[in-house]
Amino acid sequence: MRVEAIEQTRSPQGKLRVRFDNGESLMILPAAIAELGLYAGMELPNAAMDSIKETCGAASAKERAMRIVSAASVTKKELQRRLVQKGETEEHAEEAVAWLSELHLLDDRQTAAQIVRSGAARGYGAARIRQMLYEKRVPKELWDEALEQLPPQDDAIDLFLQRRFRGKTPDRAEIKRATDALLRRGHSWEDIRRALSRYASEEEFFEE
């Protein structure tokens, strides 16, 4: 088997097309081509194709994993799921996750802390942030430690109510809508009640 040509393509990842004299062609990242030492005219044993495909698959998973973690904070489980979802094999996805972990570019504890900071910046309460941690597949044993960094929620709730009521005394319907919105944001009923009481007496807000 011989490498007939290595051609440029329009691949967003910069992959090159490698053509072989047996009619096969592969899209291969330049790093994998360099690792394999491929060049036009190179003679290869027929059995080499499986090894080439294995190297290409591993390189593809690593390159995709790097792009994902560069764009957003992800956990190890979430990254592995997304790699498989994008077409990488389970084995290559697992290898890519281990590779990034060894490079200290993937850390579930740091990701959990980032999720808490992000949720707090959006004005979310603890319950909503726990949901975010679950959705991002953060190991549950890291939740409590990360949530310790969540600041008291009074300021976030007060700011929400100030923007919602605009300095006016709301009627019961407006109070209910604001309360429902805050509950959806993950704030507790007790925190919401205290915040509402700072605008007026409890009798005025919560009269039967």
Side-chain angles (χ1 to χ4, degrees), residues 76-86 137:
K76 295 175 184 179
K77 286 184 178 179
E78 174 67 5
L79 176 59
Q80 186 161 339
R81 183 192 69 81
R82 289 176 64 176
L83 288 171
V84 172
Q85 190 178 53
K86 293 291 187 180
R137 299 174 180 245

Side-chain angles (χ1 to χ4, degrees), residues 73-79 97 101 106-113 115-116 129-147:
S73 295
V74 293
T75 60
K76 295 175 184 179
K77 286 184 178 179
E78 174 67 5
L79 176 59
V97 168
S101 298
L106 192 61
D107 186 307
D108 284 353
R109 182 171 274 100
Q110 291 181 8
T111 298
I115 290 170
V116 171
I129 293 174
R130 284 193 185 92
Q131 183 181 345
M132 293 168 66
L133 292 167
Y134 172 79
E135 291 170 350
K136 290 295 185 179
R137 299 174 180 245
V138 174
K140 198 164 185 179
E141 60 267 22
L142 299 178
W143 291 15
D144 288 344
E145 178 185 339
L147 285 165

Side-chain angles (χ1 to χ4, degrees), residues 148-189:
E148 287 177 1
Q149 303 176 44
L150 184 64
Q153 298 300 289
D154 289 352
D155 289 346
I157 298 174
D158 285 346
L159 180 60
F160 178 89
L161 293 177
Q162 287 166 11
R163 290 173 174 172
R164 189 90 173 197
F165 297 153
R166 299 179 181 178
K168 299 177 181 177
T169 300
D171 60 27
R172 293 181 67 84
E174 290 170 329
I175 292 169
K176 184 179 185 308
R177 286 194 294 270
T179 299
D180 290 345
L182 285 165
L183 288 170
R184 287 194 298 271
R185 284 171 167 254
H187 295 288
S188 72
W189 164 242

Side-chain angles (χ1 to χ4, degrees), residues 5-43:
I6 299 178
E7 303 168 344
Q8 296 285 341
T9 71
R10 294 183 178 180
S11 164
Q13 293 79 41
K15 290 182 178 179
L16 303 174
R17 180 177 288 105
V18 180
R19 298 188 182 277
F20 301 89
D21 65 353
N22 64 357
E24 287 193 72
S25 67
L26 296 174
M27 296 287 285
I28 306 179
L29 289 164
I33 290 176
E35 181 179 344
L36 293 163
L38 298 178
Y39 57 88
M42 182 180 183
E43 294 288 345

Side-chain angles (χ1 to χ4, degrees), residues 92-105:
H92 290 154
E94 188 175 343
E95 289 175 358
V97 168
W99 174 66
L100 286 177
S101 298
E102 290 172 2
L103 294 175
H104 304 290
L105 296 175

